[in-house]
Amino acid sequence: MTTLNGRIDTVRLGGPEGPETGVQGFGAMGISEFYGATDEAAARDTLEAALEAGVTLIDTADAYGHGANEEFLAPFVAAHRDEIVLATKFALERRVDDPSHRGVNNDPAYIRKSVEGSLRRLGVETIDLYYMHRRDPAVPFAESVGTMAELVKEGKVRQLGLSEVTGAELREAHAVHPIAALQSEWSLFSRDVEHSAVGAAAELGVTFVAYSPLGRGFLTGSFADAGKELAEGDFRRSQPRFTGENAERNATLLEPVRAIAAAHGATPAQIALAWLHHRSAVHGLTVIPIPGTRRRGRLLENAAATRITLTDAELAALEPIAAQVTGDRYPDMRFTSAAREG
């Protein structure tokens, strides 16, 4: 396994005037739910390891654990407020009495209510990066992004972000107020964002924050069939590409990842992350993957991927993978950018 020596490199989020942050961030979602039980002491130690490694972009959302994720992060944020770039999100409506329910709300009044809740739970006066978690096409962008822009003027938010939007939607929003970051799924298994969003982000100088860069663990080889191997309640059991015949076929696509990992003395996860870091050079934009983990060792392993350089031949071997993946990213793709591409 490639190991980390020192801290990872830094980049500017959202352009030369944006905050400096590590070239790899930390996705906190799994600490609170979705991927099984959490050892809170180990998770807190992992956060400290992130900071030590230079992983300073910490990503959460009000929907994770119905606010519990933000509350969990609050003590860490309080202890290290000046050292981290804190990102959270609004727009996903959930119900405690119905875990399967997902709604999207971009109404101005809802945005204002949401930001106040996040500020309170996180224990901060200002959120560094505030995302619209999902887009509701029924609400004009000028209204929702305009309300977000007002939060910047009021000092409640420093920079704005969007998640799962198309290139056209990113340009539309950017015309209302500068967008610092676009967060969408991007990995060796998921490349639909390259259809329009990546090009628009590069054109506008928007940082691309890649969530699920390890295919929710599938790219690491930690499981082969979510339906058979993962516990009841694990979010991945509902994702079509990780169960049944889809999972069986998709597992065969990992062979070149494993071969390249062996050649580098690295792990498959590190190769998947190294490929994603290389997208910066390919597309001419800043890319910050935000893998999540609840263990210090995995955090350091992920961060060490920033030190791996893949050869042209290795990149060519990885290139065909995404096009061969079977099964959608979600059982319901309505709220993804892919569903709204022309």
Side-chain angles (χ1 to χ4, degrees):
M1 179 183 74
T2 298
T3 56
L4 181 69
N5 295 314
R7 292 164 63 87
I8 63 175
D9 293 339
T10 61
V11 291
R12 292 284 179 180
L13 194 152
E17 303 303 317
E20 187 176 43
T21 185
V23 73
Q24 192 173 113
F26 180 81
M29 182 183 80
I31 290 175
S32 297
E33 60 173 334
F34 300 108
Y35 301 137
T38 293
D39 180 330
E40 290 196 359
R44 293 196 186 283
D45 181 60
T46 300
L47 287 170
E48 295 294 337
L51 199 58
E52 294 163 12
V55 177
T56 54
L57 175 61
I58 309 299
D59 183 272
T60 181
D62 62 1
Y64 301 160
H66 304 278
N69 198 254
E70 293 178 325
E71 292 173 345
F72 178 86
L73 289 173
F76 175 77
V77 172
H80 304 289
R81 186 66 190 97
D82 295 337
E83 303 170 74
I84 65 173
V85 176
L86 180 62
T88 191
K89 315 177 195 71
F90 75 89
L92 282 185
E93 289 188 304
R94 301 181 62 197
R95 295 175 183 166
V96 176
D97 61 347
D98 182 3
S100 66
H101 175 78
R102 294 290 187 278
V104 176
N105 195 332
N106 292 172
D107 291 338
Y110 179 82
I111 296 172
R112 288 196 164 277
K113 178 182 178 182
S114 297
V115 76
E116 294 299 338
S118 289
L119 289 168
R120 182 182 67 256
R121 286 186 293 270
L122 289 163
V124 298
E125 294 182 356
T126 305
I127 295 164
D128 296 319
L129 177 60
Y130 198 45
Y131 287 102
M132 177 187 292
H133 206 160
R134 290 293 186 271
R135 169 86 172 106
D136 178 6
V139 179
F141 244 170
E143 291 184 16
S144 51
V145 178
T147 300
M148 295 169 71
E150 291 172 2
L151 301 179
V152 175
K153 293 179 181 177
E154 294 164 12
K156 296 177 180 179
V157 172
R158 290 194 175 93
Q159 291 184 299
L160 302 184
L162 301 172
S163 181
E164 288 284 355
V165 298
T166 67
E169 290 169 336
L170 178 59
R171 290 187 179 92
E172 182 182 351
H174 197 78
V176 177
H177 186 279
I179 302 299
L182 168 60
Q183 181 178 146
S184 291
E185 185 167 354
W186 198 9
S187 73
L188 280 170
F189 263 35
S190 300
R191 297 180 61 178
D192 50 272
V193 292
E194 294 174 27
H195 180 77
S196 71
V198 170
E203 173 191 320
L204 298 171
V206 175
T207 295
F208 200 107
V209 176
Y211 77 78
S212 296
L214 298 176
R216 303 190 187 277
F218 194 82
L219 285 167
T220 72
S222 61
F223 70 95
D225 187 324
K228 295 178 180 179
E229 300 173 49
L230 302 182
E232 288 290 339
D234 191 299
F235 169 67
R236 293 166 290 187
R237 289 171 61 97
S238 69
Q239 293 185 296
R241 62 179 47 172
F242 299 146
T243 58
E245 292 183 359
N246 286 343
E248 185 176 348
R249 286 194 294 267
N250 292 337
T252 67
L253 302 178
L254 298 179
E255 293 178 9
V257 182
R258 294 193 184 97
I260 294 168
H264 281 266
T267 64
Q270 289 177 321
I271 298 307
L273 288 168
W275 176 87
L276 195 47
H277 282 293
H278 186 259
R279 298 304 93 188
S280 293
V282 171
H283 296 283
L285 80 168
T286 298
V287 178
I288 304 178
I290 53 168
T293 182
R294 294 170 288 188
R295 291 186 286 171
R296 172 181 280 264
R298 291 298 187 204
L299 184 285
L300 297 176
E301 174 188 328
N302 292 341
T306 64
R307 303 288 192 248
I308 297 174
T309 300
L310 302 175
T311 68
D312 289 345
E314 290 167 342
L315 291 166
L318 297 173
E319 182 64 24
I321 291 177
Q324 301 175 61
V325 172
T326 59
D328 286 332
R329 295 194 278 129
Y330 295 97
D332 183 350
M333 290 286 287
R334 288 177 301 159
F335 301 140
T336 67
S337 59
R340 300 190 303 279
E341 290 285 6

